[in-house]
Structure formats: structure tokens, C-alpha cells
Amino acid sequence: MRMETVIRKSLGLKAHFVMEIIEVGNTLLAIVDRLGLRLLRCSCCGRKARRTHGRACKDREWRDLSVRDKQLVIVYRPFRVVCPTCGVRVEKLPWAAPRQRVTDALAMAVAMLAKKLSWSEVASHYRLNWKTVAAVVKRAVACGLARRRWKPLHVLGIDEVSRSKGQKYITLVYDLERGQLVWIGKDRVTSTMNEFFAWLGKRRRRSITVVCCDMWAIYIDAIRTNLPKAQIVFDRFHVVKHLNEAVEEVRRAMWRALHGEERIAFKRTRWLWLKNPWNLTRKESRRLSALCRKNMPIIRAYYLKEAFQHFWDYLYEGWARPYLKHWLWWASHSKLEPFIKFGQMIRDHLDGILAWTKLRVSNGALEGLNNKVKSVSKRSYGFRNPETYMNAIWHACGNLPLVLE
């Protein structure tokens, strides 16, 4: 089979043919032209046009998949067609999308590799510009979102991930039932949540019964405004994170107050207070037992932390509520300022925390997605443009169908 025939069949040419192939250094130029007077299609609506209106001023080039160690470039001067619907338009090319300078075959290969590697590595592998890879991924994400199939949403998880220094975030909305990314928005402000609920629409909102999020006031207000019938559950991970931060504040204050031998005995104990008891080694358990015999503020903080963890084992709100109220009384009388603040935070969000006992919903899957999102940023050493970062997240973590049509 001739090389021209292979290229013609691989590009799916019906109204065009490969005139010749010219070798220039490390590049193969495939010269393409119109086949006789075959009808060409409009690039806007796809209809066949019977008339043409001249051609482009000069030849245009499209990079294709390499042939062994040779770069393959398609060379063609497109026609302008007179479409009965759209008027004068550039013809639709069977091997590339409008305004693209790579063929669909190369774009598909780039999009597949960009799911696993950084865009710079993909550009280096295919000897392309980084911006070309970004354009291909943007197109793949747009086509994937248009082809994505929707199922009713019942349990949502909302969280944010940092995109750069200076308190700049990206909001992620996750379907916790199916483990699927639903929506990505810039920042974590009121307008971001309004944009999400406007995109979601009234019909899709009706099926949502539970929303799991952290205690960020903007999230809570937006959920109560747009989903008045949905139950808010505050994420266990974030509650425990605040609890551990209270223990750490007590430890640091005590470290600053100690001197001499007392400080030496207290050195390198941070993870002793934060670890779960069943995760401690024998050596750590013995050291923790020795420290607990002393009357220090950190001991009260440690016992408060361990007592609070028993709340997660309750299965009925009727038993969990009095236990939590007793714990709050203990925290408020502990004379530990971090725990007094933590107790006040729990009181302010008590209903959302008690909802855990009957729903058992957490953002654990979303935290796993956040780690994957961070790896996307890490392997690319960050993104300057938030839209580009969001495209990268959709492409790597969105589980979108990979189509370029």
C-alpha cells in the first residue's frame, strides 16, 4: 500500500486526496488537495455546499502523528464555501477541528497522555508548544462535559482546594454516592456558590437530600437558601481537624511556659497527643503513660480530645446529644481557651454535627479527590491561570468521556 493511500485512509478523506509526500529534513509534508468537484461541507453547520468562493491566501499546516522518527505535516489550502444557511464560510476539514493546528488523531493522543503527565512533558514528547497542549485539553474537557450523562444527585460534598498562595481557592462539588466530580468553581465566595446553584437549576435541586461540607459560613448560607429541604452534615474530617488544632495550641502554649528539665521531658511529644491510642507503638505508649501521671494542661486537652472521639460511635441522636452536651460543659470548664473556642464552634453547628449519627456521611472521598487534584498541580509546578487549572482538574479527575467532536 502506498504512503499516500495510508494517509488518505487514516485521515478519512472523501472529498480530498494526497497529491504527494515531500521529505524535508526530519519532516514529511503530505500535500493535500480537493478531489475533482466533490462537494465540501460548511465548518459551522456541516451541510454540503454546492458553490465555493475562492480559497485561503496561503497554505496551512497541521501536525499529525509522527511516522517513526519523522514528523508528519498535512499541507492544504482550504476553500471558502457558500453555505445556504451560514453564508460564506471556510470548509470543514475531516482531519482537524476549526482553528486547530493539529489533527484529531494527534489531539486524541495528546489528550490521553495529558491525563497522566504534566503538559510540559506531553509537549516535549510530541514536540509541540505547551499552549497547543493546553488548547487540546480545553477542547477535550468541553466535549467531555457536553457528552457527560447525568443521573439524579442525592448526596453532595462541597470542599475547597488551594490553587496558589494568598488564600486563593477552587471550590469542588462532588457526588458522594457515585464518587464523581460534579462541578468546579473559582474561589470560595458567595458568587461562586450562586453560580453553582444557577448552573444546577431548580429541577436538579429537588432530588438533593444531604449536603456534606465544612463549617464555612458562605457554604452554609448558600445551601440553606437554595436547598431549604436538604440536611447539612458537617464533615467529620474538618471537625477532628479543629479538635487537633485545639490540642496543638495547648501544647505550644505549654512548651513556651516550660524550662529546663521539664522542657527536655516534654520534647518531641507532638504526635503523642494527636495520634489515636491504637496507632501508638509500645515505646510511645509507655512515654504517654508517664506524661499522663503529671498534672499539666495538655493532659486535660488530651483527655478532652479522646472523650470527644467517642461521639462518632453513637448511632442514635437521642443518646449522642446528651453525651455531646456533657462534653461541651466539660470543655467550657476546662480553663483551656482553645477548647472553650472549639466548644462554642460545636454549639453553633450542633444540628449539622448530630446529623452524623443517622446519616454517616463524610467528605472522605472528596478528600481523596483533593489529594489527586493537588498532585495535578504539583506535577505541573502550579498554574498561573485558574481556568487552565480547572481544565486540568476536569481532564485528570473528572472521569469525562474522551471525545473530540
Side-chain angles (χ1 to χ4, degrees), residues 70-279:
K70 303 286 186 181
Q71 291 186 16
L72 179 59
V73 178
I74 310 300
V75 182
Y76 178 62
R77 191 149 59 100
F79 282 84
R80 295 187 184 93
V81 298
V82 182
C83 177
T85 305
C86 309
V88 179
R89 293 287 186 270
V90 178
E91 66 169 301
K92 182 180 180 181
L93 302 174
W95 60 82
R99 300 182 184 85
Q100 294 288 330
R101 287 297 172 261
V102 295
T103 63
D104 288 340
L106 179 57
M108 182 63 75
V110 167
M112 290 177 66
L113 197 59
K115 283 178 173 281
K116 304 297 181 183
L117 301 178
S118 70
W119 295 359
S120 297
E121 292 172 320
V122 176
S124 176
H125 178 75
Y126 287 108
R127 289 175 280 186
L128 295 170
N129 189 290
W130 184 90
K131 292 182 179 179
T132 304
V133 178
V136 168
V137 172
K138 183 179 179 181
R139 180 187 166 201
V141 168
C143 294
L145 289 173
R147 294 291 188 92
R148 182 171 57 164
R149 292 185 178 181
W150 278 102
K151 292 184 179 180
L153 300 172
H154 301 292
V155 184
L156 291 184
I158 303 176
D159 202 2
E160 73 282 340
V161 63
S162 175
R163 64 177 176 86
S164 64
K165 294 180 180 179
Q167 301 293 316
K168 295 179 180 178
Y169 294 93
I170 283 178
T171 297
L172 303 175
V173 181
Y174 207 58
D175 181 359
L176 294 178
E177 270 190 328
R178 300 178 183 88
Q180 187 176 2
L181 183 63
V182 173
W183 188 81
I184 305 175
K186 182 182 175 183
D187 297 326
R188 55 168 186 170
V189 294
T190 303
S191 59
T192 304
M193 298 307 299
N194 291 338
E195 183 183 350
F196 165 65
F197 285 111
W199 169 86
L200 192 64
K202 292 182 179 179
R203 184 174 61 85
R204 288 201 190 112
R205 292 184 210 171
R206 296 193 197 110
S207 62
I208 299 172
T209 57
V210 179
V211 182
C212 185
C213 63
D214 58 21
M215 287 170 275
W216 183 242
I218 289 173
Y219 292 164
I220 298 169
D221 294 341
I223 293 166
R224 286 174 177 167
T225 302
N226 295 279
L227 301 172
K229 295 183 179 180
Q231 173 65 59
I232 298 177
V233 182
F234 294 118
D235 182 33
R236 174 178 177 175
F237 172 84
H238 288 91
V239 175
V240 174
K241 179 183 175 184
H242 287 295
L243 178 64
N244 288 338
E245 286 174 355
V247 175
E248 181 63 10
E249 284 185 44
V250 174
R251 187 195 68 84
R252 287 178 179 176
M254 188 172 168
W255 172 258
R256 289 190 292 267
L258 292 176
H259 301 283
E261 293 183 359
E262 290 182 337
R263 206 172 206 196
I264 294 172
F266 195 69
K267 194 175 182 181
R268 295 178 182 175
T269 60
R270 177 185 179 185
W271 301 111
L272 288 180
W273 311 114
L274 299 181
K275 272 187 176 182
N276 289 318
W278 54 87
N279 290 330

Side-chain angles (χ1 to χ4, degrees), residues 5-14 18 30 32 64 72 74 93-96 103-105:
T5 306
V6 173
I7 295 173
R8 176 177 62 81
K9 289 187 175 182
S10 65
L11 295 179
L13 303 183
K14 300 295 183 182
V18 182
V32 177
D64 196 12
L72 179 59
I74 310 300
L93 302 174
W95 60 82
T103 63
D104 288 340

